[in-house]
Amino acid sequence: MSCGEPHETDCSEVLDHLYEYLDQEMPDSDCAKFKEHFDECSPCFEKYGLEREVKKLVKRCCGHDDVPSDLRAKVMGRIEVIRQGQGPGEGDTAQGEEIRSAAEEDTRPAAGMETVDAVGSEDDKNPA
């Protein structure tokens, strides 16, 4: 996306780093450049506003789910490994498998729990 106008910071760069801006995860000097760009560029400002509202909606609707502490610890450990310069696929691959495995387990029904069919129960399908 580009508005066709020349800017100090290119529209594509702004949009590539939009979530870093929204999450306040960039240096103040970059934030100032992005704010200036949004003041000048209405298409990018519109995209920024849309993404900001989506983040608010997701936070309101999904922000109350508790993450299992062991999963959180594993993910945070992996993030720390990456921050220390060890990219994905390097080092301990077993840790990545543990994270994927734990995440998959958390989405499965607990043992002995039945899942509800979206169509209905057997009684609904075969009325007497």
Side-chain angles (χ1 to χ4, degrees), residues 68-110:
S69 58
D70 61 330
L71 177 60
R72 178 181 287 278
K74 288 176 184 177
V75 170
M76 295 306 290
R78 185 66 183 143
I79 289 171
E80 189 59 34
V81 167
I82 292 170
R83 282 185 178 158
Q84 292 174 359
Q86 196 174 37
E90 298 176 22
D92 185 8
T93 57
Q95 185 178 16
E97 286 299 319
E98 288 176 18
I99 292 171
R100 279 189 290 282
S101 177
E104 289 169 1
E105 287 174 12
D106 290 336
T107 60
R108 295 185 203 130

Side-chain angles (χ1 to χ4, degrees), residues 1-124:
M1 169 194 300
S2 177
C3 65
E5 299 293 324
H7 300 286
E8 182 179 329
T9 307
D10 189 58
C11 293
S12 63
E13 180 183 350
V14 169
L15 297 177
D16 285 346
H17 298 281
L18 181 58
Y19 276 95
E20 291 172 55
Y21 180 81
L22 283 167
D23 296 336
Q24 300 173 348
E25 295 178 344
M26 59 175 32
D28 290 339
S29 60
D30 289 342
C31 285
K33 287 187 339 185
F34 278 46
K35 183 175 180 343
E36 180 180 326
H37 184 92
F38 292 132
D39 290 343
E40 298 172 351
C41 182
S42 59
C44 288
F45 182 71
E46 185 177 325
K47 180 71 172 168
Y48 160 76
L50 175 65
E51 295 300 327
R52 184 184 63 209
E53 292 305 312
V54 168
K55 282 183 65 71
K56 284 181 186 178
L57 179 64
V58 168
K59 183 177 181 178
R60 188 176 75 227
C61 295
C62 305
H64 305 292
D65 297 335
D66 291 329
V67 177
S69 58
D70 61 330
L71 177 60
R72 178 181 287 278
K74 288 176 184 177
V75 170
M76 295 306 290
R78 185 66 183 143
I79 289 171
E80 189 59 34
V81 167
I82 292 170
R83 282 185 178 158
Q84 292 174 359
Q86 196 174 37
E90 298 176 22
D92 185 8
T93 57
Q95 185 178 16
E97 286 299 319
E98 288 176 18
I99 292 171
R100 279 189 290 282
S101 177
E104 289 169 1
E105 287 174 12
D106 290 336
T107 60
R108 295 185 203 130
M113 297 290 291
E114 295 180 14
T115 58
V116 177
D117 186 355
V119 179
S121 69
E122 285 300 315
D123 294 334
D124 293 337

